[in-house]
Amino acid sequence: MTAQTATKKKRRISWGAIFVNIALVLIVLAWSIPTFGLLVSSFRSRFDIQTSGWWTIFPHQEWVTVAEIQPGPELDRDGVMTFEGVSGTFLELRDGIQSGNTQVVWIGNKRIGKVVVQQKEWTRGNHDFTLENYQTVLGGKTFQIQQPDGSTLTVQGDNFVNAFLNSLIVSIPATLIPILIAAFAAYGFAWMKFPGRRVLFIIVVALLVVPLQIALVPILKLYVGLDLNGTFLGIWLAHTGFGLPLATYLLFNYISTLPREILESAFIDGASHFTIFIRLVLPLSVPALASFAIFQFLWVWNDYLIALIFIGSKPDVQVLTQRIAEMVGSRGNDWQVLTAGAFISMLVPLIVFFSLQRFFVRGLMAGSVKG
Amino acid sequence: MEQLTDPTDKHRPVGEKEVKSKGALDWLATNIFRLLISLFVPIVTFIGLYLGFIFLRDSAAPKGVTAIVAIIWGVGGVAALYLVSNWLVEKLNDEWRAKIQPFVFVGPAVAILFVYLLYPTIATFRLSLFDRNGEIFVGLQNYVDIFTNRSMFVAFRNNILLWIPFGALFTVVLGLLIAVLADRSKYERTAKALIFMPMAISMVGAAVIWNMIYDVNPNVGVLNWIYTNITGNNPQAWTASNQPWNNLFLIVVMIWLQTGFAMVLFSAAIKGIPSDITEAARVDGATEVQVFFRIMIPYISGTIITVTTTVVIFTLKIFDVVQVMTGGQFDTQVIATQFYREYFTSRNSGLATAIAIVLLITVIPVMIYNLKQFRETEAF
């Protein structure tokens, strides 16, 4: 009896496990398919993309023409016609008549059209994967593209290399500068005594709640006056300003909990605040610094709004997100370049994500309170 | 030590005056030298930084070179400023150093925050009380306009009645569901990584991905391929027709992006539930569904609230997805895209800043609550 219930229970649990795994696989597929489709499409030619779905690269059943019949002029096209043992009127034949594994379709004009006999066969389609899209997107050269109707089109390549470098130029300093400034400030708030310490710190934390839309108009006006619009310095400082409350708050939480004894013994040995900060506090805070760095880097790399407003339409300074957004607007149907461009922009975040997953998750969790 | 002090002792009896004057001269000489250095170093630093700025602004060097110079100049420049100012402060006597050094540490951060957040908040509020060019005082007219304008009404409806309920609800429910499922699977790590992955992708990139899925050509858009094959109808322009339900297709993008975030937080919370509680319930004959609703949900209710508020804030500020996918057309506009349109397209700074203030007022209560929760759970 007990053995029986035990096996019963075991069976129920294993059924449960199967259900759980199937549900999980379905969800994971649903979540990955969009990105996968983008990746596959970025390696297909414009012609292939427009004429067959990216999913046709998988083996699937498709009607394949096995025979063609040219109906003679004597055939009565207004009555019921019979081909390959299938009969129907012209209208029925034009939509295709299926019988078993065979389909008969009238293709083209009623008078001079032809009839094809098709069979459903397993196929992997006829696909050529190409790197041409990436060459088009990365190089600034012109390219010949074959269109679905057979004609060729000359297209000016998009210089994404420039935009990619701009994204790096914007993201790296816009990550390191706020970290440096915030770390100094966090140390100051945590371990130094000065008048106004509490008030200033409360102001810093309170500014966490300000959504950055609030700041855009006045800062844009300020930048126009100072001629900082469209400069790297301008956008670094903007990202620094918007990232600082969070950075200071997080690093303060970490630095203020460092063991007091370590810092005090360093003081007794005659070390200055600066030495302690550089030699002791920074190395001890690496986990917090790394988490925030990853969050801020991805935030800046993926940012569109701040770039749109402070870089605007200066082509030699534009970052990747802007170039892609512009392409969506101007060439929304050129999927071969859009997909390649989008994938290039995802490359760096995805590398960061898969190589530094632990810090990445922590960083994003911490960043969730960003204003 | 003693040997080093000896020579000065020998000189001492020669005559106090002479020693003193020599000391004063020495003092003056060394101090002029120090003063010069103290002036020289910062000046050189500033000149160096200025030259870097000019180079970056005017140079036609290859992009790669500019990139390296820019990164070194930007990061090195800030570090140099700290080094130099600290070096100057350490030259002062103890009393002054103790007074000034904290401001060397805290000052830059506070100054930047005042310029980039505090001053703009006040300036934005002031502008919101003026007309479209910021010249004539109009009182609260812009706020009245916001709440009577049809286009703004649609934006509020989308943000508050569609994005928040559907977006936040599905993100939280799906995140919780996946966290529970993953917790019982052997493939937890892989599954979680793949579902979290969209968090790494920019919203612009996500917009491209989903624009493709919704494409009208059934050979490009999966959704239309499925739809035309099942129903035999013509392909649909999902993000443009059937208003206001086209908004839901944009909301799906946000759910796809944010569910991973909810899942990771829930997953951590579920792992924090002591297993003896759930085991005891199971031994007492509770079904899995009962365990889920009666034990897990109450236990992680704090996390559920944090995740919900975070997603709500994110949703209130949503911009990129809408801006790139539809440009706010077809009645898909939201508060943030209206702000952009009013300022950059309609050139109405009064209305735009008033929208920003409304956004601030909407976000603040949720944000404060979120911060409180964040402090309690110490998610970091």
Side-chain angles (χ1 to χ4, degrees), chain A residues 106-123:
Chain A
W106 186 292
I107 288 180
N109 176 298
K110 191 172 181 179
R111 207 160 44 76
I112 53 164
K114 63 185 177 186
V115 173
V116 295
V117 181
Q118 296 178 324
Q119 266 175 0
K120 216 161 201 178
E121 278 177 14
W122 281 98
T123 153

Side-chain angles (χ1 to χ4, degrees), chain B residues 4 40 51 58 86 106 111 167 203 208 219 253 269 305 340 368-369:
Chain B
L4 273 175
F40 182 69
L51 288 178
D58 302 335
N86 192 71
V106 174
M203 284 196 262
V208 172
N219 286 323
V253 182
I305 292 168
Y340 183 82
I368 288 173
Y369 187 80

Side-chain angles (χ1 to χ4, degrees), chain B residues 169-182:
Chain B
L169 182 77
F170 278 98
T171 306
V172 172
V173 170
L174 276 170
L176 187 55
L177 180 76
I178 297 168
V180 172
L181 287 176

Side-chain angles (χ1 to χ4, degrees), chain B residues 245-261:
Chain B
W245 306 115
N246 56 344
N247 281 290
L248 296 183
F249 291 96
L250 302 184
I251 294 172
V252 166
V253 182
M254 190 211 90
I255 296 170
W256 181 71
L257 283 170
Q258 290 284 300
T259 298
F261 164 79

Side-chain angles (χ1 to χ4, degrees), chain A residues 21 31 41 51 53 55 162 166 211 214 218-219 223 236-237 249 272 274 302 316 335 349 360 365-366 369 371, chain B residues 63 70 86 90 105 116 124 181 185 193 196 200 202 212 215 217 219 225 256 264-265 317 320 360 367 375 380:
Chain A
N21 282 324
W31 245 255
S41 301
T51 52
W55 49 91
N162 234 352
N166 283 336
I214 284 284
I219 296 200
Y223 274 16
W236 291 338
L237 287 175
Y249 177 66
S272 70
F274 195 73
N302 287 338
D316 51 330
W335 288 109
F360 181 91
M365 294 305 115
V369 283
Chain B
K63 200 77 198 179
N86 192 71
E90 300 223 325
F105 275 64
Y116 279 87
T124 298
L181 287 176
S185 172
F196 197 74
S202 68
M212 189 163 169
D215 197 274
N217 179 350
N219 286 323
W225 180 71
W256 181 71
V264 169
L265 275 191
K317 296 192 294 187
D320 306 14
L360 173 76
M367 200 72 196
R375 278 187 65 171
F380 192 58

